[in-house]
Amino acid sequence: MKDTVFVTGHKNPDSDSICAALAYAEFKNKTGTVDAIPVRLGEINRETSFILSHFEVEPPMLIETVKLQVKDMDIDKITPVSPDITLKMAWNLMRKQNVKSLPVIDDNELLMGVVSVTNVTESYMDVWDNTILGKANVTLENIIDTLTAKPVSIEKSRKTFSGKILVLSGSNDTASKMLEEGDIAICGDRVDSQELCIDKKVALIIVTTSNTMSPELLEKARENKVTILSTPYDTFTTARLITQAVPVRHVMGSDKLIYFSSEDYIEDIRGVMAETRYRSYPVVSVEGKVAGTVSRYHLISAKKKKVILVDHNERGQSVDGLEDAEILEIIDHHRVADVATGTPIYFRNEPVGSTSTIVANIFFENGIRPSKKIAGILCAAIISDTLLFRSPTATNVDRMTLERLAMLADIDVNSFALEMFKYGTSLAGRSPDEILNQDFKVFSYDDEKVGVAQVYSMDADSIMDLKEPLIEAMDLKARTGDFTMVALILTDIYKEGSEIIAVGKHKELINKAFNVELVNNSVYIPGILSRKKQVIPPLTAAINR
C-alpha cells in the first residue's frame, strides 16, 4: 500500500502556490511509490480560479491541519453487535477477533453501549438469582443458541420466560414443592420428573444429553402449553451454560460511555485515555455510526502524516500542525526561514521568479513531460509570479522554462497573460477584507511580527476609493493578530510601481526601509513590484538595525 503524501503550498495561496502543488503532485505520482495528493490551505483567488478553469484542472483539496486524527490511524475494524446477542456469542466473538470489547448498536446502528470481557466474566462470577432469565428478558432463540438445543415442542405464544430455573435432581416430592407454573426445568430422561413438570405447567423443560419424551407426554405438554427443548449437554453443563443466554444489553456498559469521533485529534484523546483505564474505546463516524475501536497501542504505533512543502519554507505560512507531521521535501524560491526537520530531506531552493519554474525543470531533468493541462497551469504561475518578467525576481531560467512549457500547453503567452491579469486583478465588488487577505503573508523577527499583503492591478488608482476602509481593516487585523505592522502593497503592473499602505505601532519601518515618508499611512514607490525581493529584504534590514 502506497504512503499518502500531501503536497501543499502556503496559507492564503497565490497562483504559484496552487499550481506548483498540483504539478509536483503529478510528478511524484508519475515517478514515485507514493500517493501524492495536492492540497491547499485557503480559498483560491480570482486569478488562480481563472487559471484552473481555463485549463480544466480541478482545485486541490482544502485542508486545515495535518495533525493526526483518529481516522488517520489503522484502528481495529470491529463489527458492532446487537444488544440481543447472548453473552456466550459475545465471548466467542471476542475470542475469535482477539479483542477485549465489542461495541453494541441500536436499530439505527448508533452506539448504545460496550460489552467487554470483564462484563462477561463478572456475570459468570456473580451469583445471579434463579429468575435471571425473566429479568433479562431472555428469548427462546437465545436459549436454543446457547444450549445448542433442538426444539422438540414449541409454544409459540411464549417469547420469554419469567419463572425460576430449577434442576430436577432430587425426589419428586421435593421437586413438587419447588416447581411453580411458568418455571424453567432442567431434567434428564426420568419420565416421572418430566410428567411432574408438565403437570405443574412449567413454561420450559430442557431435557439433557439429547434425550426426548414419549409421544404421550409430548401431547400432554402441548395441551399444557409447555415448550420442550433437547440439549446435547449434561445436566451440570446445561445449568452452567443457561445463564450465558442472557443478552449483552443486560450487562453492557452504557452509563458515562467514553468513545471518540473519527474526527478527534490524537493529542486530545491521549489525555482521555491517560485518565481512564479501558483496554479499548469505540470510534464513531461523523454520522454517529461505529467505525471500530481504538486502544493505546494505536497511539503508540500511529504514523505521522507526510507532507511536501512547495513555495514556502516558513512555519508561520505553513499548514497548522506541521510540527506533528513528517516533512519529506521542500521546493521553494523564497528566503530560507524557520522550518526545521528531524532528518535530512530533499530541499531545493533556487533564486528564480517562481516555484513553478523549479517544478517544471524537475520534470524536464527526469526526462518527463508534464501533461498538457499541468504545463498550462505552470505557464500561468510563472507569468503570475514574475508579472510577465516585469518583476526583478524574473530570471532567464524563468523565460526559457516558460517558452518550453508554452509549446507543450499550446498557448500564446502574451494574449493569455493579458486575459489572466485583467480577470485576476479586477477589484470590482471586493471588500477590504477580501483585498487584504487575498495574498497575505506573515513574517516573524524575534519580537516583531509583520504581516504583508500584496495586490496586483491593471489600474491601481481605482483602489484609492477604498483606502480608508482598507486602513480600518488593517488596523483591526494588526490589533487582533498582535502584529507590530501590517502593510498592503498595491502594485500597478503597467506603471511598474506600488502604493504601500502601512498601519501598526511600528509602521515607520516603511520609512526606514525605503527612505521615504508615509503620508496618511501610505506612500507610492516607483519600481517596487516584488514583495519577496524588493520589500521583505529592506524591511528585514530595517528591523535588524
Side-chain angles (χ1 to χ4, degrees):
M1 182 177 177
K2 292 183 177 180
D3 285 339
T4 297
V5 177
F6 296 108
V7 184
T8 177
H10 50 73
K11 293 178 180 177
N12 299 310
D14 57 8
S15 296
D16 189 32
S17 180
I18 295 291
C19 297
L22 285 162
Y24 199 59
E26 179 179 276
F27 172 78
K28 297 301 290 186
N29 286 327
K30 283 186 173 182
T31 61
T33 57
V34 300
D35 178 20
I37 300 176
V39 296
R40 57 187 170 94
L41 307 183
E43 295 303 316
I44 292 174
N45 63 36
R46 285 175 58 89
E47 179 188 89
T48 310
S49 179
F50 171 83
I51 293 168
L52 299 182
S53 176
H54 183 89
F55 293 104
E56 299 180 346
V57 175
E58 288 294 320
M61 175 178 68
L62 176 66
I63 65 170
E64 296 179 353
T65 180
V66 288
K67 288 183 179 179
L68 273 178
Q69 293 173 278
V70 174
K71 64 183 178 183
D72 299 317
M73 295 190 292
D74 187 21
I75 64 173
D76 292 329
K77 306 296 183 182
I78 296 174
T79 303
V81 298
S82 162
D84 298 320
I85 72 164
T86 65
L87 295 179
K88 180 183 178 183
M89 181 179 288
W91 174 260
N92 289 337
L93 285 172
M94 284 187 275
R95 291 182 63 187
K96 182 179 179 181
Q97 299 181 37
N98 193 29
V99 295
K100 303 300 182 182
S101 63
L102 293 171
V104 183
I105 57 173
D106 61 18
D107 292 339
N108 296 315
E109 299 183 14
L110 302 179
L111 182 69
M112 65 180 295
V114 174
V115 59
S116 66
V117 169
T118 302
N119 297 140
V120 177
T121 54
E122 284 181 353
S123 71
Y124 187 73
M125 296 302 295
D126 284 344
V127 180
W128 280 342
D129 67 53
N130 58 4
T131 61
I132 183 61
L133 298 192
K135 291 178 178 178
N137 288 319
V138 174
T139 63
L140 178 63
E141 289 76 12
N142 276 16
I143 296 174
I144 292 173
D145 178 65
T146 302
L147 299 180
T148 320
K150 175 184 176 183
V152 178
S153 179
I154 303 297
E155 172 52 48
K156 294 183 179 179
S157 64
R158 193 186 301 274
K159 300 299 181 184
T160 58
F161 304 90
S162 57
K164 307 184 299 296
I165 305 170
L166 295 172
V167 178
L168 273 64
S169 58
S171 68
N172 277 2
D173 289 340
T174 303
S176 181
K177 294 175 183 178
M178 299 176 64
L179 281 171
E180 294 179 317
E181 184 176 344
D183 283 346
I184 300 103
I186 301 172
C187 63
D189 60 353
R190 287 176 53 182
V191 175
D192 57 342
S193 295
Q194 295 174 354
E195 188 170 14
L196 174 63
C197 292
I198 295 171
D199 289 340
K200 287 288 187 177
K201 295 185 178 181
V202 299
L204 172 64
I205 299 174
I206 302 168
V207 184
T208 60
T209 59
S210 297
N211 286 300
T212 183
M213 287 184 179
S214 67
E216 293 78 16
L217 282 182
L218 281 177
E219 182 59 33
K220 191 174 182 180
R222 294 187 188 100
E223 291 174 359
N224 286 354
K225 298 183 177 181
V226 179
T227 294
I228 311 295
L229 300 180
S230 176
T231 177
Y233 297 115
D234 58 41
T235 302
F236 170 78
T237 306
T238 301
R240 188 169 65 90
L241 284 177
I242 194 167
T243 56
Q244 293 186 26
V246 169
V248 296
R249 67 167 174 268
H250 190 70
V251 302
M252 70 182 185
S254 57
D255 293 334
K256 298 181 181 179
L257 195 61
I258 298 176
Y259 62 93
F260 302 120
S261 165
S262 58
E263 302 298 309
D264 286 341
Y265 294 109
I266 289 181
E267 64 182 16
D268 295 329
I269 75 169
R270 184 177 282 114
V272 176
M273 285 187 174
E275 295 172 1
T276 54
R277 305 305 303 170
Y278 299 114
R279 292 177 182 268
S280 60
Y281 302 78
V283 175
V284 299
S285 66
V286 176
E287 296 79 20
K289 296 187 177 181
V290 175
T293 60
V294 63
S295 65
R296 290 173 180 79
Y297 164 77
H298 295 107
L299 298 187
I300 297 170
S301 60
K303 295 181 180 179
K304 293 182 176 182
K305 289 183 179 178
K306 295 177 170 60
V307 295
I308 294 174
L309 308 184
V310 298
D311 200 34
H312 73 293
N313 69 96
E314 193 154 348
R315 188 176 297 277
Q317 297 177 11
S318 198
V319 61
D320 291 342
L322 186 65
E323 64 279 1
D324 296 325
E326 180 183 356
I327 302 172
L328 301 183
E329 301 179 31
I330 299 176
I331 312 295
D332 193 20
H333 70 135
H334 294 95
R335 66 168 189 160
V336 177
D338 59 354
V339 171
T341 62
T343 57
I345 65 168
Y346 180 71
F347 190 153
R348 182 157 176 171
N349 185 281
E350 297 182 21
V352 292
S354 169
T355 300
S356 292
T357 297
I358 305 171
V359 173
N361 284 314
I362 290 174
F363 273 96
F364 299 145
E365 291 163 8
N366 285 274
I368 301 171
R369 285 185 176 184
S371 64
K372 185 175 181 180
K373 291 180 179 181
I374 293 299
I377 65 172
L378 287 171
C379 282
I382 295 171
I383 293 169
S384 172
D385 242 29
T386 65
L387 299 178
L388 195 55
F389 307 116
R390 288 178 172 84
S391 171
T393 62
T395 66
N396 284 331
V397 176
D398 298 298
R399 293 177 185 273
M400 294 170 62
T401 305
L402 179 60
E403 289 177 5
R404 190 170 181 180
L405 289 169
M407 287 189 290
L408 295 176
D410 191 24
I411 63 168
D412 180 272
V413 169
N414 289 309
S415 61
F416 174 80
L418 181 61
E419 187 179 2
M420 182 185 77
F421 284 138
K422 278 185 177 179
Y423 187 89
T425 62
S426 174
L427 301 176
R430 297 200 206 180
S431 68
D433 282 336
E434 288 174 328
I435 293 170
L436 182 60
N437 293 314
Q438 175 178 308
D439 185 7
F440 186 87
K441 290 187 177 180
V442 180
F443 301 90
S444 298
Y445 310 85
D446 295 328
D447 296 333
E448 298 281 349
K449 182 183 176 184
V450 174
V452 183
Q454 184 165 23
V455 174
Y456 296 100
S457 177
M458 306 277 280
D459 180 18
D461 292 337
S462 63
I463 206 172
M464 287 300 104
D465 294 336
L466 290 173
K467 183 176 178 181
E468 290 305 317
L470 273 170
I471 290 175
E472 291 178 8
M474 292 168 67
D475 269 325
L476 179 62
K477 195 173 189 72
R479 292 196 306 273
T480 58
D482 197 29
F483 290 98
T484 54
M485 183 187 76
V486 171
L488 173 61
I489 308 167
L490 303 172
T491 300
D492 191 312
I493 297 171
Y494 285 97
K495 287 184 179 179
E496 299 189 23
S498 297
E499 183 89 15
I500 299 181
I501 303 174
V503 301
K505 61 183 179 181
H506 289 171
K507 64 183 180 182
E508 74 281 352
L509 286 170
I510 298 297
N511 298 337
K512 296 177 181 178
F514 301 101
N515 195 27
V516 293
E517 193 70 35
L518 288 170
V519 178
N520 295 326
N521 295 87
S522 70
V523 62
Y524 179 81
I525 306 178
I528 294 291
L529 294 171
S530 170
R531 170 176 51 192
K532 178 185 69 175
K533 194 166 185 176
Q534 296 176 292
V535 176
I536 298 306
L539 271 179
T540 302
I543 291 170
N544 289 337
R545 286 199 299 269

